[in-house]
């Protein structure tokens, strides 16, 4: 059968119900044969069974609650399931560990992950049966998976798999969830997991083979044969006939006649020229018969006619959001694989349509992950007082709230004149100066003084452009107290200019920033490409250089785009960064980190371990305190 994520509900019915040795959950065949009961009770109606149980007592009440519990799971009525389980809590004969596992299931499926995890943590000292242990690990892992933390989820899933194998416990959904989590990981993450039990190694190696040989029929077939000989009777064997084997069909798009929609007129014409240069530079690597450049400013009808006339089989573009929206209803484009060079106002969920944008939100998320990995508690954010600045600050704050109870300090500046005031206010330097002034007024003699800044800010993030960052950095240096440790400074790629940097690095010592590899010295291995570019276009602006890299990557993505969409953990190493597709066919970029050090820009590796949500980290901290 084709691999699919089987509902957790089915898994619980077939596995968790069998967890207990003291509580026997009846099946449909064991329903009472009393004729009156058969006519008055519908054993699929959880609410009716629950209400009926309220009028009963003793064993009859418990039995009806069991039936109601099974029916609530089958009907995915998670709120009612929790009510039923709470009603069973007071009954002595009930297996309370199993019943609490049901409560955790109900809360998880009501998007109350924190409450579900609290239940599971409370059970850790009560787990004696292997069935309970296996399901406890599985449910915990499923919460981490729901939170988008596949690496952490797999630790629990593998524990559940090992217990299941040793004790012959069946968890029907476990293998599917392991496979789904593995496909979220990069090759680097898989390499780190390739150890442990035979079961774990088998799973990880299979995921690595799929990642490496996806779309390569002969190599994949050979790798799978080797895997089967090494891992006989492995639980992942069921995947081989269908899921992994069908990966062979993910052959690249056979592109012979390519249409590229870009601005060829109007105010954005120079952006179109920069893109065109990038496409032409990348064409040498491809066996594309013909490429047609079409002005995206044309009407939908004109674009459709050109595509039909040239018998196009793949499209890249448009660049401008308004032109993507304009083509949203085009039946011609809906039938063709397309890489848009921006995101539309509303996503079109077409399996053949992909969205590639130089999205600054990705940089903000990348910086936030690093801040949390470094355990920074109180960031200060500085941004221009415009739509872009407010949008990025809002995005950071929304993401930050998932992981921290503290609120970032935020400052918006309107121009260079009020930057110093904004910084001084945020760091509370003015208050320090006022205190100094008050003390001096009390003494006739000269008083030695030193301005102090607030001490809780532990990281500063600048979301301004090149000029703004160069103006802000000195203000920050001056206003941070000499008694305090230097606050780490970070910025986005907007702060960096390859052109300005060649003649003026300003006073940027120590500043970290994210940037496309293409823009950083020594970050791209294709040195000859950079040299040729500088020879042909030595004076191009930064935006045009970035668009060149974007176009170059777009063309090179065509052979791998299907596979990137199929496996979220697969990455493409491009000029614009490490590119992957996590969801909705949106290409996500991970940029390089760099730092100004000793008047040079140096590449650096920074910790980007994905953070757990706040409630999970609080639970982990509490556990550590108890153990200590």
């Amino acid at each position: 059968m084709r691999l699919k994520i089987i509902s957790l509900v089915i898994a619980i019915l077939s596995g968790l119900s069998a967890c207990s040795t003291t509580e026997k959950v009846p099946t449909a065949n064991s329903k009472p044969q009393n004729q009156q009961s058969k006519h008055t009770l519908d054993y699929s109606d959880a609410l009716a069974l629950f209400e009926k149980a309220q009028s009963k007592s003793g064993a009859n009440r418990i039995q009806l609650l069991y039936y109601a519990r099974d029916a609530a799971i089958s009907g995915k009525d998670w709120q009612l399931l929790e009510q039923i389980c709470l009603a069973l809590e007071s009954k002595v004969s009930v297996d309370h560990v199993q019943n609490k596992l049901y409560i955790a299931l109900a809360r998880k499926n009501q998007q109350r992950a924190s409450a579900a995890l609290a239940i599971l943590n409370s059970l850790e000292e009560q787990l004696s049966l292997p069935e309970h242990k296996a399901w406890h690990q599985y449910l915990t892992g499923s919460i981490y998976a729901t939170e988008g933390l596949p690496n952490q989820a797999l630790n629990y899933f593998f524990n559940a798999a090992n217990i299941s194998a040793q004790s012959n416990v069946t968890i029907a959904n476990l293998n599917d969830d392991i496979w789904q989590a593995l496909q979220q990981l990069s090759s680097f993450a898989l390499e780190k997991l390739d150890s442990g039990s035979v079961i774990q190694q088998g799973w990880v190696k299979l995921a690595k083979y799929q990642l490496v040989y996806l779309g390569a029929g002969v190599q994949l077939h050979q790798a799978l044969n080797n895997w089967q000989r090494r891992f006989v009777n492995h639980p992942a064997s069921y995947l081989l006939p269908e899921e992994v084997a069908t990966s062979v069909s993910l052959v690249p798009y056979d592109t012979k006649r390519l249409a590229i929609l870009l601005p060829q007129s109007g105010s954005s014409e120079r952006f179109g020229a920069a893109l065109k240069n990038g496409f032409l530079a990348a064409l040498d690597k491809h066996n594309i018969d013909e490429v047609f450049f079409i002005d995206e400013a044309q009407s939908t009808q004109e674009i459709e006619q050109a595509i039909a006339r040239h018998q196009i089989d793949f499209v890249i573009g448009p660049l401008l959001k308004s032109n993507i929206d304009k083509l949203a209803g085009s039946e011609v484009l809906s039938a063709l694989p397309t890489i848009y060079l921006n995101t539309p106002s509303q996503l079109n969920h077409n399996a053949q349509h992909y969205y590639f944008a130089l999205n600054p939100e990705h940089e903000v998320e990348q910086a936030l992950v690093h801040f949390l990995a470094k355990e920074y508690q109180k960031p200060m954010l500085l941004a221009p007082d415009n739509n872009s600045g407010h949008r990025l600050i809002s995005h950071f704050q929304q993401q930050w709230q998932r992981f921290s109870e503290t609120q970032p300090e935020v400052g918006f500046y309107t121009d260079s004149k009020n930057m110093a005031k904004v910084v001084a206010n945020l760091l509370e330097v003015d208050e320090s100066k006022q205190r100094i002034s008050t003390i001096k007024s009390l003494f006739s003699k000269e008083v030695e003084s030193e301005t102090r800044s607030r001490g809780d800010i532990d990281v500063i993030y600048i979301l301004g452009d090149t000029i703004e960052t160069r103006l802000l950095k000195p203000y920050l240096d001056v206003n941070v107290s000499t008694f305090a440790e230097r606050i780490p400074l970070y910025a986005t790629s907007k702060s960096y200019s390859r052109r300005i940097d060649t003649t003026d690095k300003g006073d940027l010592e120590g500043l970290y920033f994210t940037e496309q590899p293409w823009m950083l010295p020594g970050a791209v291995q294709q040195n000859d490409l950079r040299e040729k570019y500088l020879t042909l276009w030595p004076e191009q602006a930064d935006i045009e250089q970035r668009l060149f890299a974007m176009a170059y990557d777009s063309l090179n993505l065509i052979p791998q785009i299907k596979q990137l969409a199929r496996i979220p953990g697969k990455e493409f190493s491009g000029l614009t960064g490490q590119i992957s597709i996590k969801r909705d066919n949106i290409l996500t970029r991970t940029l390089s980190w760099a730092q100004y050090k000793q008047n040079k820009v140096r590449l650096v590796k920074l910790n980007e371990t994905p953070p757990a949500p706040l409630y999970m980290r609080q639970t982990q901290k509490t556990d550590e305190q108890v153990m200590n």
Side-chain angles (χ1 to χ4, degrees):
M1 83 179 92
R2 291 184 59 81
L3 173 66
K4 54 186 178 182
I5 305 303
I6 304 172
S7 171
L8 184 58
V9 178
I10 305 301
I12 294 294
L13 282 174
S14 62
L16 185 53
S17 295
C19 282
S20 173
T21 56
T22 59
E23 176 185 4
K24 301 298 183 184
V25 179
T27 63
N29 292 333
S30 64
K31 297 281 193 300
Q33 297 301 307
N34 180 280
Q35 291 297 316
Q36 183 179 0
S37 296
K38 287 174 68 176
H39 288 296
T40 59
L41 282 181
D42 178 0
Y43 287 95
S44 65
D45 189 337
L47 181 59
L49 290 165
F50 181 54
E51 291 174 346
K52 183 71 174 178
Q54 308 307 311
S55 64
K56 301 294 181 180
S57 60
N60 288 335
R61 179 185 178 92
I62 294 174
Q63 192 77 0
L64 282 169
L65 288 174
Y66 287 167
Y67 293 144
R69 191 173 65 183
D70 284 353
I73 294 172
S74 294
K76 300 182 182 181
D77 192 337
W78 307 117
Q79 187 174 3
L80 180 58
L81 173 62
E82 184 173 357
Q83 285 183 267
I84 296 166
C85 292
L86 291 173
L88 284 165
E89 283 281 274
S90 61
K91 309 304 178 186
V92 177
S93 61
V94 171
D95 180 343
H96 291 288
V97 173
Q98 178 185 338
N99 199 57
K100 280 187 168 61
L101 289 172
Y102 277 107
I103 295 174
L105 167 70
R107 291 179 176 177
K108 170 190 172 293
N109 285 294
Q110 293 177 79
Q111 287 73 53
R112 295 163 59 199
S114 177
L117 193 62
I119 287 282
L120 293 169
N121 288 332
S122 72
L123 290 175
E124 287 184 352
E125 301 299 323
Q126 305 173 48
L127 301 171
S128 56
L129 297 175
E131 292 89 347
H132 289 161
K133 292 179 181 177
W135 277 100
H136 177 273
Q137 292 294 287
Y138 172 65
L139 286 174
T140 305
S142 68
I143 291 173
Y144 277 88
T146 300
E147 292 290 343
L149 297 166
N151 219 325
Q152 293 89 326
L154 283 164
N155 291 328
Y156 293 97
F157 286 159
F158 287 139
N159 286 342
N162 291 333
I163 296 169
S164 299
Q166 293 164 7
S167 305
N168 198 27
V169 176
T170 300
I171 302 178
N173 211 43
L174 175 59
N175 292 334
D176 292 332
D177 284 353
I178 288 175
W179 187 239
Q180 185 184 46
L182 284 168
Q183 291 184 96
Q184 307 294 316
L185 301 183
S186 66
S187 56
F188 176 75
L190 288 172
E191 197 64 45
K192 292 177 68 175
L193 280 176
D194 197 2
S195 60
S197 67
V198 173
I199 287 178
Q200 178 171 334
Q201 290 184 52
W203 277 112
V204 173
K205 282 183 169 52
L206 190 61
K208 286 167 64 177
Y209 290 157
Q210 189 202 43
L211 198 61
V212 173
Y213 300 117
L214 192 65
V218 176
Q219 295 94 322
L220 180 62
H221 181 72
Q222 183 178 355
L224 294 183
N225 285 338
N226 293 336
W227 184 91
Q228 284 182 297
R229 286 193 292 270
R230 181 173 177 182
F231 298 99
V232 179
N233 297 324
H234 190 278
S237 297
Y238 82 104
L239 290 168
L240 300 181
E242 291 286 340
E243 179 62 16
V244 181
T246 54
S247 297
V248 178
S249 66
L250 287 178
V251 294
Y253 287 110
D254 185 19
T255 303
K256 296 300 182 184
R257 303 175 70 82
L258 172 67
I260 297 177
L261 309 181
L262 42 73
Q264 292 184 317
S265 60
S267 60
S268 299
E269 184 178 357
R270 69 186 182 96
F271 299 149
L275 288 168
K276 187 173 184 178
N277 293 335
F279 288 124
L280 293 174
L283 276 173
D284 289 342
K285 296 183 177 181
H286 299 272
N287 295 319
I288 298 175
D289 293 340
E290 290 188 86
V291 177
F292 301 91
F293 292 95
I294 301 172
D295 189 352
E296 65 179 68
Q298 294 185 84
S299 68
T300 300
Q301 184 179 8
E302 289 173 319
I303 291 173
E304 288 180 335
Q305 288 173 349
I307 288 174
R309 183 169 62 253
H310 298 306
Q311 299 180 329
I312 299 301
D313 53 34
F314 201 101
V315 177
I316 298 179
L319 171 70
L320 303 181
K321 186 185 292 283
S322 59
N323 288 329
I324 296 177
D325 294 340
K326 174 182 69 179
L327 295 170
S330 170
E331 293 184 4
V332 173
L333 257 71
S334 68
L336 291 172
T338 304
I339 298 177
Y340 294 102
L341 299 178
N342 210 327
T343 51
S345 300
Q346 185 172 355
L347 282 180
N348 172 23
H349 296 285
N350 184 321
Q352 294 192 102
H353 287 185
Y354 311 91
Y355 305 95
F356 182 24
L358 302 182
N359 195 333
E361 277 81 359
H362 296 164
E363 293 187 61
V364 170
E365 293 169 10
Q366 188 175 348
L368 182 144
V369 168
H370 172 64
F371 295 167
L372 292 165
K374 290 283 288 184
E375 298 185 350
Y376 293 135
Q377 302 297 315
K378 188 72 170 177
M380 186 172 94
L381 313 177
L382 297 169
D385 191 5
N386 56 32
N387 290 337
S388 175
H390 281 272
R391 188 185 80 245
L392 293 179
I393 291 291
S394 176
H395 187 72
F396 185 100
Q397 290 174 317
Q398 290 173 7
Q399 299 297 317
W400 183 262
Q401 288 172 3
R402 293 186 60 219
F403 306 103
S404 177
E405 292 179 328
T406 64
Q407 291 294 322
E409 288 291 336
V410 176
F412 292 104
Y413 51 84
T414 54
D415 52 41
S416 60
K417 294 179 180 179
N418 82 327
M419 281 182 181
K421 184 178 179 180
V422 170
V423 171
N425 286 341
L426 287 174
L427 293 174
E428 298 179 359
V429 173
D430 289 342
E431 294 180 20
S432 175
K433 289 179 178 178
Q434 182 61 47
R435 290 192 296 269
I436 291 171
S437 178
T438 301
I439 292 172
K440 283 184 176 181
S441 69
L442 299 175
F443 297 91
S444 57
K445 294 183 178 181
E446 184 67 23
V447 177
E448 291 187 12
S449 62
E450 180 72 39
T451 304
R452 293 177 182 268
S453 59
R454 62 190 292 182
D456 59 335
I457 299 294
D458 51 8
V459 63
I460 297 174
Y461 191 32
I462 302 171
L463 293 96
D465 63 24
T466 306
I467 303 300
E468 292 163 353
T469 302
R470 279 166 168 73
L471 291 172
L472 280 166
K473 175 69 163 56
Y475 291 141
L476 293 166
D477 290 341
V478 168
N479 285 286
V480 174
S481 172
T482 56
F483 297 103
E485 292 186 10
R486 308 309 292 174
I487 302 175
L489 297 180
Y490 293 81
T492 68
S493 61
K494 288 178 64 178
S495 70
Y496 178 70
S497 169
R498 189 179 177 98
R499 291 181 66 195
I500 295 176
D501 202 65
T502 56
T503 56
D504 176 24
K505 292 181 173 58
D507 186 17
L508 298 176
E509 179 68 20
L511 177 74
Y512 294 96
F513 62 97
T514 43
E515 182 56 281
Q516 293 184 13
W518 174 246
M519 300 295 289
L520 296 171
V524 174
Q525 299 304 315
Q526 300 168 328
N527 291 325
D528 58 333
L529 179 62
R530 188 30 115 167
E531 290 171 1
K532 290 177 182 177
Y533 180 90
L534 292 174
T535 301
L536 292 170
W537 304 287
E539 299 297 326
Q540 279 208 321
D542 295 302
I543 181 60
E544 290 169 301
Q545 294 188 51
R546 293 188 174 103
L547 288 173
F548 174 94
M550 182 189 195
Y552 191 91
D553 282 353
S554 299
L555 200 63
N556 288 323
L557 277 164
I558 292 176
Q560 299 194 46
I561 197 79
K562 277 187 185 179
Q563 301 167 16
L564 287 168
R566 177 66 173 270
I567 301 182
K570 188 174 178 62
E571 292 182 337
F572 170 82
S573 183
L575 301 184
T576 58
Q578 292 295 115
I579 299 171
S580 60
I581 296 178
K582 306 300 181 186
R583 62 184 182 277
D584 297 329
N585 279 3
I586 297 174
L587 282 77
T588 301
R589 295 180 306 135
T590 301
L591 277 67
S592 298
W593 282 103
Q595 183 188 28
Y596 286 95
K597 192 169 184 179
Q598 297 177 348
N599 209 35
K600 291 184 178 180
V601 173
R602 302 177 186 273
L603 296 173
V604 292
K605 291 286 186 182
L606 299 185
N607 187 351
E608 293 185 12
T609 303
L614 180 63
Y615 72 86
M616 289 185 172
R617 291 188 290 117
Q618 288 176 333
T619 301
Q620 292 166 355
K621 188 175 291 186
T622 302
D623 293 344
E624 291 170 3
Q625 291 172 346
V626 171
M627 292 176 68
N628 293 334

